[in-house]
């Protein structure tokens, strides 16, 4: 009889433990869904803010990743790698931590110029595409920005007109007033 009672109590305890496990798994699943919903709302608000910045032609794309022509990827500082447009004035800057002198003084190149022939389109999925030429005194480049639908994450293809060293930057598009970039010497 004592053995039956012990087995019965053990079975009840195991059942209780399983019920608690299911509840905690269910709670974790619901918590995960809530977090996803909150993140989707935040992304939506940031995307609307970025779209408005594009409309106002006062935006900055701060890049945290660079993809080179050969496909290799480098993670970079978003404060020194950016594309910025402020009411017709444009800055395209790439900077890497290198031990030798560079034209902009911080490890790369800074193109200061005017944004010309700027075209903004939205595709059927909701991605915003910007095409423009940035024309500076010494150099110029074609710039293609693609802001993904529902978020302020974007990529930019930079095609210099003086060589074939195409770069792709990926990062966050935001209003220029919220940006915190450091600009090197311009060309």
């Amino acid at each position: 009889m004592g053995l039956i009672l012990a087995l019965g109590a053990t079975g009840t305890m195991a059942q209780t433990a399983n019920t608690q496990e299911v509840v905690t798994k269910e709670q974790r699943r619901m918590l995960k869904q809530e977090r996803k919903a909150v993140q989707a709302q935040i992304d939506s608000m940031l995307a609307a803010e970025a779209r408005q910045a594009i409309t106002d032609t006062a935006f900055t794309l701060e890049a945290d990743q660079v993809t080179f022509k050969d496909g290799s990827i480098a993670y970079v500082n978003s404060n020194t790698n950016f594309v910025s447009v402020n009411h017709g004035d444009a800055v395209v800057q790439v900077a890497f931590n290198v031990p030798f002198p560079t034209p902009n003084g911080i490890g790369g190149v800074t193109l200061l110029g005017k944004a010309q022939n700027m075209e903004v389109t939205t595709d059927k999925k909701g991605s915003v595409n910007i095409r423009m030429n940035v024309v500076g005194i010494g150099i110029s480049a074609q710039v293609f920005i693609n802001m993904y639908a529902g978020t302020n994450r974007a990529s930019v293809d930079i095609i210099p007109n003086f060589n074939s060293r195409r770069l792709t930057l990926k990062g966050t598009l935001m209003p220029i007033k919220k940006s915190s970039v450091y600009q090197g010497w311009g060309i």
Side-chain angles (χ1 to χ4, degrees), residues 7-99:
L7 287 175
T10 305
T12 305
M13 288 173 68
Q15 232 177 7
T16 305
N18 284 342
T19 306
Q20 288 175 349
E21 240 180 72
V22 170
V23 170
T24 58
K25 284 182 183 178
E26 182 66 23
Q27 288 173 343
R28 282 191 298 238
R29 187 182 64 76
M30 292 191 62
L31 186 62
K32 186 176 180 180
Q33 286 178 343
E34 287 174 20
R35 270 191 246 138
K36 279 186 177 183
V38 168
Q39 187 62 48
Q41 284 181 324
I42 291 170
D43 286 346
S44 177
M45 289 180 354
L46 291 172
E49 185 179 58
R51 268 194 227 93
Q52 185 60 45
I54 292 168
T55 302
D56 297 341
T57 62
F59 63 88
T60 300
L61 188 152
E62 294 184 7
D64 51 19
Q65 178 183 333
V66 176
T67 305
F68 298 97
K69 182 180 173 181
D70 65 356
S72 59
I73 295 173
Y75 294 95
V76 293
N77 186 340
S78 63
N79 293 337
T80 57
N81 292 275
F82 63 92
V83 174
S84 182
V85 175
N86 190 9
H87 305 293
D89 294 325
V91 179
V92 176
Q93 177 173 288
V94 290
F96 311 101
N97 295 329
V98 292

Side-chain angles (χ1 to χ4, degrees), residues 45 117 162:
M45 289 180 354
N117 304 326
F162 61 91

